[in-house]
Amino acid sequence: MGTEDKQRPDPDELLARVKQQEADARRGKLRIYFGSSAGVGKTYAMLVAARKLFGEGRDVVVGIVETHGRSETEAMLEGLPVIAPTMLLYRDKELPEFDLDTALKRHPALILVDELAHSNVQGVRHPKRWQDVDELLAAGIDVFTTLNVQHLESLNDVVGGITNVRVWETVPDKVFDQADEVVLVDIPADELLARLKAGKVYIAHQAERAAGNFFRKGNLMALRELALRRTADRVEGDVQAYRVDKSIGSVWKTGNALLTCIGPDAGAERVIRAAARLANQLNADWHAIYVETPALQRLSAPRRERILAALSLAQQLGATTAVIANPQVAESVVSYARDHNLSKLVIGRNPGRRMWPWQRSSGQKLAMLAPDIDLVEIGQSGGTVNGGPIQRITADSVESVERRRRKSLRYVWAALACMAISVATMPLALHFDPANIVAIFILGVVLVAVRLGRGPAALAAVLSVCAFDFFFVPPRFAFAVNDVQYLLTFIIMLAVGLITGQLTAGLRFQARVASHRQERAQSLYEIARELSGAVQIDQVVTISSESIERTFRAQAALLLPSPNAQLIAVPSRDQTSLAVDIGIAQWAFDKGQPAGFGTDTLPGSDVLYIPLRAPLDTRGVLAIKAQNRRLLRIPEQRRLLDTFAALIAIALERVHYVDVAQHAVVTMESERLRNSLLAALSHDLRTPLTVLIGLADMLALSKPPLSAEQRETAESIQDEARRMSALVTNLLDMARIESGQVQFNLQWQPFEEVVGAALNGMQLMLKEHKVIVRLPLDLPLVRFDSMLLERVLANLLENASKYTPPGTSITLSARVVDDRLRVTVEDDGPGLPKGREEAVFQKFARGERESSTPGVGLGLPICRAIVEAHGGTITGRNRPEGGATFTFTLPLGQPPPPEPEEDAGELSSAPRGRSEPLAESDR
Amino acid sequence: MSEPHPVALLIEDERQIRRFVRAALEGQSWTVHEAETLRQGLSDASTRRPDLIILDLGLPDGDGIDLLRDLRQWSKVPVIVLSARVSEHDKIEALDEGADDYLTKPFGVGELLARVRATSRRRQEHGLNPSVPFEFGDVSVDLTTRTVLRAGATIHLTPIEYRLLALLIINEGRVLTHRQILSEVWGPSHAGDAHYLRVYMGHLRQKMEVDPARPQHILTETAIGYRLVQKPRA
């Protein structure tokens, strides 16, 4: 049972794999030429492969390749198309840099981009070259690149430990792990040294001294081992993926994720890297958390920056990160682990700082709290590489000076408080026991702790003891003590003062954390409530920029897309201060990824651009510039900001759909109005016409008979009324067809039937013309609306009779041409005016401008509308022998089968070859 | 005057239309009662015992079809409905519910009187006299011997064609909807297969009409059905 389960791939996992494969199909393929150090021949190997593909006709382009002046490499470049690098000015020097935009525009099948770990000069879109490569891959371009082992993020410190040379240009492991192919370029250490001696390895001038240390045989062998091992890990991963794919064996991800917890010391980075490696080996998710205790909260700004930097490193290495405020480190770590179902815990070992024998290390505490969780302790690095700047930190010096000043002021206040208590209690000394005086001092210490915090409280405790001794313990006004028992009083007083100060300050901290949390929740609640009431884009813009300004003490602006997906800044009321870069914003919008300050894309900008991604679409970009830039780096704040962005996006989407719905309602309403108008018009126009025709008829038929003249008058009243009625019918039909309100009653029927009906209806009008009908007997059934097609024929016939003199002939014929029925109505009258053969199908157009022939030119436009609605065409032209021809076509399609024949018993006299069904069937 | 004047009930809400219809009918010696609403029309139909009802389908207080349905439960009095051109569906429904004929607004007095005559004649004749051959154009049909002659020569019809022709003859002058013909000739289960009917009607025309593309007797009522007329309109 159990084994069976294991062998069956998890459907979710398979689905994820399919999705990944789909994404991969669109993405370009990345091949990394991986080596243990410079000089092993990565670039050369890459060029050899590229040349081969180029020779086979692949569209290969050199993006950037560093030849370092080596002739054999340069020779390999010959003949390959190269994208010229852009020259960027940096510190008065022109530096060549890979031209990403040209490469994207050129869009080759394969591009060579050397030195994956390269850091770009400031002013380029991405700070790192691997990000350029990522964008190339996303655009569907295949990339060949090179990488040395010491540039891999997770091995960075290990290599540093081996060689004592630390490089700062690193590539996240995920880039390496997600590469489609890794080609290991490997030569033995001796050969590399020989190449070095022969001057075949490029070393930058300033690094020459360090290189002496670096290129030692021992180092080279260790690096080689690292590179081989890392490649082997990858290959194993490939094998595993293959096995999973093919359902071979039963190696499944166990899903035991790990948790690492870091502290403020420099080892944090090391712990993070170790955890990342471990997670990678276990193929598990991992979390990195930092528990902020009251003590840690009081750390200096640069140290806190370092913690945040370590967390962001963890994020880069693929961890989920969090900052938790809780004075009980061990408890909160364990509860986090339990909440997230993390079964392994990675922490740094700190053996020092154990003041008392009963104090336990954090590892021991954790082990006691959670005996079921695996604990991995990472040893401290003893090397010289330890520490170093994690990231250059722009400490806000103005703010820290201000803070320091406020801090010292608090101590002054604490001292003043002690003095005040001493002076105030002096008169009491005569009447009260010293024990009571002690109580007053302790009260003072507690109050100081509440108001001013831990440090001032400690100062107050010490000062209180001194003051008590000096002013109240005999001999008074001297520090000497007569009675030894007062020493005990002093000790207890000091201890009580310190402990109460500590406790109160702790409470104060927790209260502050709680109020921060409360503030965050409150601000979220407020923006959610306000946005839920917004029904217009303007309101959303105003509400969101205001609440972001309030919550983050930052300037904010919303950029919304125009219909063609170009972003436009929405000016809010006081929208003058924040200068947004539309280019960056557009990038963030198009990619759906944040850009600008604190991100991987153009971090040089001081504005952060967050795409507003709603469930259905990206609705715009939020630009934010914090006064206190550190604020945006704190994970909690970023998460809060992301939540804000999501809320705003949802509000924008809702407003968008409110608009859509409103528009639909308006359309529906106007449609309804038009329909009822048409119905009313139809009734109100027809009723009087009916009456008019009827009464005129009555007049003509009245007895005794009218005179010939009167009779004629009555008849012309009737004629005109009928004409008016036809006009109304045409107008209403046109309106109905144009509004798309006509419901077609499409039926398979013989065409001659509708011809007969039309001719029958037109009898009176056609009585002065000779009508010739030519219909072949074998016309197939056609699918049309008989009512509407009768109108087409009636209009064409009416047209022909109206514009031709009496006595001329009108020919109606139909035949099958290809897959269409082709119907023509010809007359031998004056024909259509030259050049207006098409214009007669326009509304209110007539053949001659000032014609005396009555009738508004609506007949032909209606014909066109009806025929086109049937999927046919209609044209008019002049016959060479004179007269006009109107031709329309109808698609034939596949008519339903005729009724099955059954009985041929009775003789059929069907004269003209059509097979006669003789069914006398079911009775 | 041996016979009393026939009585017509005119149910129509437009006064002017009532006026000329009444005048036209009275000119033909009809006694005309007018009703303006559905309710009044229904009660007049039972109290006045009319020989003909002319019913407007669009009445202010309800649908004329409902009145027709009620009426047909207890009366076979001929009904001619008045309707606007666009409402083919209403006409078909009215005919299926038992109306005898329809007139499309606007209509002339001539058309009105022709329909009235045809309708009341059918009623008076109480069906055809089967012993007399029915004649139209150059065709003569003897329903008792089931022979069809055209210009004196025997014409052979398939059974379905014959049944179609007989049905049209029995209902001479009257519109038959596709549904009515289909259920009479093919049976109720075929009521949807209108294209069979159209094909057979085409065959019948080719055998009966001088110019099948311009029929004089077997007329198409577009989108509604067919009607056989003995004498073509002038």
Side-chain angles (χ1 to χ4, degrees):
Chain A
M1 184 72 198
T3 48
E4 208 173 285
D5 278 350
K6 288 234 158 157
Q7 270 158 6
R8 192 177 300 140
D10 177 4
D12 287 339
E13 199 161 322
L14 280 182
L15 192 65
R17 192 178 309 279
V18 168
K19 277 187 181 154
Q20 187 60 40
Q21 278 168 356
E22 272 173 12
D24 287 351
R26 280 189 303 266
R27 264 178 86 86
K29 300 258 179 278
L30 176 63
R31 181 191 286 184
I32 296 177
Y33 286 85
F34 188 55
S36 58
S37 81
V40 295
K42 299 178 300 294
T43 308
Y44 189 83
M46 175 174 80
L47 284 170
V48 168
R51 282 197 82 86
K52 185 159 169 283
L53 289 172
F54 187 69
E56 287 167 7
R58 274 287 289 279
D59 182 13
V60 181
V61 163
V62 177
I64 194 153
V65 166
E66 315 274 357
T67 61
H68 303 303
R70 262 169 288 162
S71 55
E72 37 186 295
T73 315
E74 260 165 23
M76 291 302 293
L77 266 176
E78 224 155 86
L80 289 174
V82 177
I83 290 175
T86 48
M87 300 306 282
L88 283 161
L89 202 64
Y90 180 67
R91 292 192 184 152
D92 305 329
K93 259 165 71 184
E94 284 237 310
L95 294 175
E97 205 51 83
F98 171 54
D99 191 346
L100 176 61
D101 285 320
T102 311
L104 285 171
K105 210 176 289 164
R106 166 74 175 74
H107 208 283
L110 171 65
I111 190 163
L112 309 186
V113 182
D114 208 3
E115 303 270 349
L116 188 61
H118 176 81
S119 289
N120 288 335
V121 177
Q122 217 161 25
V124 183
R125 176 143 81 235
H126 300 295
K128 299 285 187 182
R129 184 167 287 165
W130 63 263
Q131 293 165 332
D132 292 346
V133 167
D134 196 46
E135 203 166 332
L136 288 169
L137 294 171
I141 302 171
D142 292 351
V143 179
F144 282 7
T145 188
T146 63
L147 181 68
N148 282 335
V149 68
Q150 78 255 37
H151 294 298
L152 263 184
E153 182 76 64
S154 69
L155 293 175
N156 184 259
D157 58 341
V158 178
V159 176
I162 294 169
T163 62
N164 278 338
V165 178
R166 188 84 181 254
V167 288
W168 302 112
E169 299 186 328
T170 56
V171 173
D173 288 54
K174 67 167 196 252
V175 177
F176 182 78
D177 290 333
Q178 286 168 5
D180 300 275
E181 291 164 31
V182 169
V183 178
L184 182 69
V185 182
D186 183 43
I187 54 171
D190 286 332
E191 200 172 312
L192 181 58
L193 285 171
R195 287 181 55 137
L196 187 70
K197 278 202 189 97
K200 283 181 175 172
V201 177
Y202 167 81
I203 303 152
H205 289 292
Q206 62 268 36
E208 235 163 80
R209 222 158 47 86
N213 284 330
F214 188 88
F215 286 100
R216 280 192 312 225
K217 191 173 175 186
N219 283 354
L220 292 180
M221 287 197 301
L223 287 174
R224 190 170 171 222
E225 189 197 343
L226 267 181
L228 286 168
R229 206 184 262 171
R230 191 68 181 81
T231 314
D233 278 354
R234 226 200 90 96
V235 171
E236 195 196 325
D238 287 351
V239 168
Q240 222 170 58
Y242 179 82
R243 285 168 65 159
V244 170
D245 222 21
K246 308 283 174 198
S247 266
I248 302 167
S250 52
V251 187
W252 298 107
K253 198 167 109 178
T254 46
N256 54 351
L258 45 117
L259 170 66
T260 180
C261 176
I262 57 163
D265 31 2
E269 197 193 343
R270 197 183 151 76
V271 175
I272 294 279
R273 287 184 203 284
R277 274 196 298 274
L278 194 58
N280 192 24
Q281 277 160 15
L282 293 173
N283 191 19
D285 291 336
W286 65 293
H287 294 235
I289 60 170
Y290 164 60
V291 181
E292 195 168 52
T293 60
L296 295 177
Q297 173 114 77
R298 285 192 303 275
L299 290 177
S300 65
R303 291 190 71 188
R304 297 189 65 203
E305 285 284 351
R306 173 181 282 185
I307 294 161
L308 296 180
L311 277 184
S312 81
L313 172 71
Q315 213 157 17
Q316 271 177 32
L317 290 170
T320 310
T321 59
V323 174
I324 295 164
N326 193 328
Q328 306 297 328
V329 178
E331 279 85 346
S332 61
V333 168
V334 168
S335 87
Y336 186 93
R338 295 225 192 283
D339 287 351
H340 294 80
N341 197 20
L342 308 170
S343 62
K344 283 187 175 52
L345 197 54
V346 180
I347 55 168
R349 183 184 297 148
N350 54 342
R353 295 194 51 195
R354 203 184 299 183
M355 276 197 238
W356 313 100
W358 61 84
Q359 259 189 348
R360 283 187 297 264
S361 76
S362 45
Q364 282 171 313
K365 267 192 245 172
L366 288 167
M368 275 182 62
L369 272 170
D372 56 326
I373 291 180
D374 299 351
L375 198 61
V376 181
E377 276 188 89
I378 306 298
Q380 281 181 322
S381 69
T384 50
V385 201
N386 191 6
I390 295 162
Q391 201 170 333
R392 218 172 346 175
I393 289 144
T394 48
D396 208 341
S397 54
V398 181
E399 200 203 37
S400 64
V401 166
E402 168 73 13
R403 267 175 72 160
R404 223 171 296 146
R405 212 168 58 81
R406 264 210 307 258
K407 222 171 181 176
S408 41
L409 210 62
R410 288 214 296 261
Y411 285 94
V412 174
W413 276 112
L416 284 177
C418 284
M419 273 162 70
I421 291 169
S422 309
V423 171
T425 44
M426 204 91 86
L428 303 178
L430 299 174
H431 311 289
F432 289 92
D433 212 46
N436 294 323
I437 306 290
V438 168
I440 293 174
F441 273 103
I442 287 177
L443 177 67
V445 172
V446 170
L447 289 177
V448 166
V450 169
R451 298 286 308 169
L452 305 171
R454 189 192 316 252
L459 177 71
V462 172
L463 285 182
S464 297
V465 171
C466 295
F468 179 64
D469 179 13
F470 191 76
F471 292 113
F472 299 99
V473 175
R476 298 182 64 186
F477 307 108
F479 285 109
V481 178
N482 287 350
D483 197 340
V484 186
Q485 66 171 329
Y486 276 110
L487 284 179
L488 182 65
T489 312
F490 294 158
I491 289 167
I492 289 173
M493 192 174 160
L494 189 63
V496 169
L498 287 176
I499 290 168
T500 43
Q502 193 81 0
L503 287 176
T504 337
L507 282 178
R508 221 166 79 96
F509 166 74
Q510 287 210 339
R512 217 169 60 206
V513 169
S515 86
H516 276 317
R517 220 175 271 158
Q518 163 77 12
E519 263 170 40
R520 276 202 288 261
Q522 182 70 20
S523 58
L524 261 182
Y525 163 73
E526 271 170 18
I527 190 176
R529 196 197 48 194
E530 285 174 32
L531 281 178
S532 71
V535 290
Q536 279 171 333
I537 297 279
D538 294 356
Q539 284 173 297
V540 176
V541 170
T542 316
I543 290 168
S544 28
S545 43
E546 275 178 9
S547 26
I548 286 175
E549 278 162 25
R550 214 166 43 223
T551 312
F552 295 93
R553 277 174 291 141
Q555 291 169 288
L558 280 191
L559 295 102
L560 302 179
S562 63
N564 58 0
Q566 294 298 309
L567 285 181
I568 326 163
V570 181
S572 75
R573 280 179 290 115
D574 48 352
Q575 196 41 222
T576 41
S577 35
L578 184 57
V580 294
D581 184 328
I582 289 283
I584 308 179
Q586 187 73 46
W587 189 90
F589 180 75
D590 293 343
K591 303 275 170 183
Q593 284 170 7
F597 175 75
T599 67
D600 293 342
T601 310
L602 288 169
S605 164
D606 53 1
V607 181
L608 172 63
Y609 299 88
I610 300 174
L612 299 170
R613 296 175 68 175
L616 293 179
D617 206 354
T618 305
R619 296 283 160 198
V621 169
L622 170 70
I624 175 166
K625 181 185 175 186
Q627 282 156 9
N628 179 3
R629 303 175 55 175
R630 201 176 64 86
L631 210 58
L632 291 185
R633 272 217 214 104
I634 300 173
E636 266 64 34
Q637 295 286 341
R638 265 310 297 273
R639 222 157 284 157
L640 182 65
L641 190 58
D642 288 344
T643 314
F644 267 54
L647 281 174
I648 297 168
I650 289 167
L652 286 173
E653 186 154 282
R654 186 171 52 76
V655 170
H656 171 77
Y657 282 111
V658 166
D659 280 355
V660 169
Q662 244 164 15
H663 186 75
V665 168
V666 168
T667 316
M668 246 162 61
E669 199 58 29
S670 65
E671 205 78 340
R672 206 179 58 78
L673 199 68
R674 178 162 45 194
N675 284 346
S676 53
L677 195 69
L678 281 179
L681 212 62
S682 164
H683 180 259
D684 288 1
L685 287 174
R686 281 220 177 85
T687 305
L689 283 171
T690 309
V691 173
L692 206 58
I693 291 167
L695 290 180
D697 255 3
M698 284 308 303
L699 209 57
L701 296 171
S702 60
K703 286 171 190 168
L706 302 177
S707 70
E709 203 175 317
Q710 286 167 323
R711 225 184 121 85
E712 205 171 301
T713 310
E715 269 168 11
S716 31
I717 291 176
Q718 209 218 21
D719 281 354
E720 292 305 314
R722 279 191 188 274
R723 191 165 289 141
M724 177 100 106
S725 163
L727 173 65
V728 167
T729 305
N730 269 348
L731 271 173
L732 293 176
D733 275 1
M734 198 70 213
R736 212 171 271 125
I737 290 171
E738 286 206 332
S739 68
Q741 290 304 299
V742 175
Q743 295 220 328
F744 290 96
N745 174 22
L746 297 178
Q747 306 244 356
W748 290 101
Q749 44 201 320
F751 185 69
E752 58 260 35
E753 190 164 274
V754 72
V755 171
L759 289 173
N760 226 332
M762 299 293 293
Q763 249 172 12
L764 275 177
M765 189 157 247
L766 294 171
K767 62 178 182 262
E768 302 195 353
H769 288 82
K770 197 175 140 210
V771 180
I772 303 159
V773 180
R774 290 201 184 113
L775 296 178
L777 285 165
D778 56 350
L779 281 183
L781 294 183
V782 190
R783 192 153 182 264
F784 56 85
D785 181 318
S786 50
M787 222 38 220
L788 293 174
L789 215 68
E790 188 187 325
R791 290 210 37 78
V792 172
L793 289 174
N795 279 338
L796 290 178
L797 291 171
E798 183 190 345
N799 224 50
S801 79
K802 216 157 65 178
Y803 291 100
T804 56
T808 55
S809 63
I810 298 169
T811 310
L812 196 163
S813 57
R815 64 201 166 94
V816 172
V817 178
D818 298 332
D819 56 346
R820 316 209 131 218
L821 179 73
R822 193 183 154 97
V823 183
T824 47
V825 176
E826 295 172 310
D827 63 50
D828 45 11
L832 296 169
K834 281 260 170 329
R836 288 180 55 78
E837 289 91 342
E838 187 57 23
V840 293
F841 289 102
Q842 306 297 318
K843 263 176 279 179
F844 304 113
R846 288 199 322 196
E848 297 162 48
R849 280 187 184 216
E850 295 297 321
S851 165
S852 55
T853 320
V856 172
L858 263 183
L860 290 175
I862 289 176
C863 289
R864 166 161 283 186
I866 293 173
V867 169
E868 284 178 355
H870 279 84
T873 54
I874 183 165
T875 52
R877 60 183 175 81
N878 284 320
R879 299 161 68 201
E881 59 269 41
T885 309
F886 287 96
T887 305
F888 70 88
T889 63
L890 292 176
L892 284 178
Q894 188 65 49
E899 195 181 12
E901 295 180 29
E902 210 173 80
D903 170 19
E906 200 160 336
L907 241 184
S908 157
S909 66
R912 282 159 275 198
R914 201 190 291 228
S915 76
E916 279 286 338
L918 302 172
E920 170 68 284
S921 49
D922 41 326
R923 299 201 183 161
Chain B
M1 272 281 160
S2 58
E3 260 192 41
H5 289 182
V7 176
L9 174 61
L10 173 58
I11 309 173
E12 161 70 65
D13 57 322
E14 288 293 331
R15 199 174 63 82
Q16 294 296 341
I17 295 180
R18 285 206 304 274
R19 192 180 144 202
F20 89 79
V21 171
R22 172 183 204 117
L25 288 177
E26 279 174 354
Q28 303 292 312
S29 320
W30 285 80
T31 305
V32 179
H33 294 292
E34 293 179 18
E36 279 184 51
T37 60
L38 197 98
R39 181 189 296 270
Q40 197 199 335
L42 201 57
S43 79
D44 282 1
S46 63
T47 54
R48 306 273 183 193
R49 307 202 137 272
D51 302 292
L52 172 73
I53 294 178
I54 296 177
L55 169 66
D56 183 13
L57 287 183
L59 287 170
D61 62 335
D63 195 338
I65 306 255
D66 293 337
L67 185 146
L68 196 58
R69 210 172 280 137
D70 277 1
L71 184 74
R72 277 289 172 258
Q73 309 218 331
W74 48 268
S75 168
K76 286 186 168 178
V77 58
V79 176
I80 297 175
V81 295
L82 306 179
S83 150
R85 190 192 73 86
V86 283
S87 33
E88 264 62 49
H89 182 75
D90 290 353
K91 291 175 202 162
I92 295 172
E93 202 180 346
L95 291 168
D96 283 343
E97 287 295 338
D100 292 76
D101 213 333
Y102 71 90
L103 273 169
T104 301
K105 288 181 186 177
F107 53 88
V109 172
E111 295 164 68
L112 170 70
L113 294 180
R115 298 291 153 86
V116 170
R117 267 197 300 274
T119 313
S120 44
R121 188 182 63 233
R122 267 206 310 280
R123 181 175 158 72
Q124 279 159 14
E125 284 166 1
H126 287 290
L128 294 164
N129 180 355
S131 56
V132 180
F134 183 89
E135 292 184 351
F136 61 92
D138 56 356
V139 178
S140 164
V141 181
D142 189 334
L143 291 176
T144 46
T145 59
R146 306 184 73 164
T147 49
V148 182
L149 301 174
R150 180 165 171 190
T154 308
I155 301 274
H156 291 283
L157 297 181
T158 66
I160 284 180
E161 284 167 5
Y162 179 78
R163 284 218 298 274
L164 270 179
L165 183 60
L167 184 66
L168 288 171
I169 288 171
I170 292 164
N171 293 287
E172 185 267 320
R174 183 180 170 185
V175 194
L176 294 172
T177 64
H178 294 131
R179 176 187 295 273
Q180 285 169 338
I181 300 175
L182 280 164
S183 66
E184 279 293 320
V185 177
W186 275 269
S189 59
H190 287 77
D193 307 335
H195 68 275
Y196 293 171
L197 169 58
R198 291 194 166 99
V199 170
Y200 281 103
M201 211 51 102
H203 298 169
L204 199 57
R205 278 200 185 115
Q206 281 171 3
K207 292 177 184 177
M208 301 286 115
E209 295 278 359
V210 180
D211 181 357
R214 307 176 70 177
Q216 299 296 306
H217 302 283
I218 303 173
L219 303 183
T220 305
E221 297 285 331
T222 305
I224 291 172
Y226 298 94
R227 179 206 303 272
L228 182 97
V229 294
Q230 206 161 10
K231 296 186 190 80
R233 260 189 285 166

